[in-house]
Amino acid sequence: DFVYRQRKHFRMRQNNEDSPLTNERFEALSAANFPFELQKSASIQRSKSSTKKDIIVSLRDPSYKQIMEEYFKKLGPKTNQIEEGKLTEREAVDEVYVILKNKGGRFVRLTNPHNLNDGCVEIDDEEALKKIRNDINRRMESAKRWLHSKSSAKDSSSASKQ
């Protein structure tokens, strides 16, 4: 998406990295009032917390974490084998995205990923999808928390009775 790429190139430029955003292009976009940086909404600037409609895309947020761990359990441990009829990571990413999008809020990320109280910044759908995909790909890092929980325990106890 055009806006996402321009913002990415702008951030690269700000960090003194090589960027395809030339001075001429930057000046032309600036003259057209292009929003290079995501603007924090007034509600986020006034308070350190998000609004009820905001969807915090972070495993530190209990609502997001609950949805993600439900899908972690559906996917199970990472293996190199693809089982027919079993949910794939790509399908899980799409399903989680649709669930969150249907909540009707806007996607936000934590300003400080280690602290829920430092406020949030709005992100676009592409960045939210990337975060969901990353969390699903990294699910085994938190497997000790979700892999052997109650619903997984039922599966293993029924398997041991056979």
Side-chain angles (χ1 to χ4, degrees), residues 41-55:
S41 73
S43 63
I44 290 179
Q45 288 176 347
R46 267 183 277 146
S47 86
K48 293 269 184 183
S49 63
S50 62
T51 65
K52 289 187 184 209
K53 282 272 195 184
D54 287 344
I55 302 156

Side-chain angles (χ1 to χ4, degrees), residues 1-161:
D1 155 74
F2 175 79
V3 173
Y4 177 78
R5 283 193 313 272
Q6 296 308 310
R7 286 180 175 157
K8 179 181 174 186
H9 298 158
F10 175 74
R11 285 191 303 272
M12 290 169 65
R13 182 184 166 104
Q14 294 292 89
N15 293 330
N16 295 321
E17 299 172 13
D18 287 337
S19 168
L21 184 61
T22 64
N23 288 337
E24 295 80 24
R25 181 120 180 108
F26 174 73
E27 289 169 11
L29 289 169
S30 294
N33 293 323
F34 181 83
F36 284 106
E37 300 202 38
L38 285 174
Q39 300 298 314
K40 293 182 182 180
S41 73
S43 63
I44 290 179
Q45 288 176 347
R46 267 183 277 146
S47 86
K48 293 269 184 183
S49 63
S50 62
T51 65
K52 289 187 184 209
K53 282 272 195 184
D54 287 344
I55 302 156
I56 302 173
V57 187
S58 168
L59 289 170
R60 296 206 181 270
D61 177 66
S63 175
Y64 178 80
K65 180 178 170 183
Q66 179 183 3
I67 292 168
M68 293 304 288
E69 287 187 353
E70 176 185 326
Y71 275 85
F72 293 171
K73 290 173 191 173
K74 286 180 182 180
L75 287 165
K78 276 190 159 220
T79 63
N80 291 336
Q81 300 170 342
I82 298 174
E83 296 178 33
E84 192 172 323
K86 188 173 179 185
L87 183 71
T88 66
E89 288 182 354
R90 178 175 285 165
E91 292 167 336
V93 169
D94 293 341
E95 287 181 22
V96 168
Y97 174 78
V98 168
I99 288 169
L100 295 174
K101 192 72 175 169
N102 285 340
K103 288 187 172 200
R106 61 196 178 127
F107 290 111
V108 297
R109 68 169 169 76
L110 297 175
T111 304
N112 176 354
H114 304 290
N115 188 345
L116 278 171
N117 299 322
D118 280 353
C120 302
V121 176
E122 185 174 359
I123 60 175
D124 61 18
D125 289 5
E126 191 173 326
E127 195 172 344
L129 262 171
K130 193 186 315 184
K131 173 69 167 113
I132 294 165
R133 188 177 305 113
N134 188 40
D135 287 341
I136 285 183
N137 287 334
R138 294 178 60 200
R139 71 183 180 276
M140 294 310 294
E141 293 174 20
S142 62
K144 65 182 175 206
R145 194 173 56 236
W146 60 265
L147 187 57
H148 298 293
S149 64
K150 292 178 185 172
S151 66
S152 295
K154 289 177 193 172
D155 297 340
S156 63
S157 66
S158 63
S160 62
K161 289 179 184 176

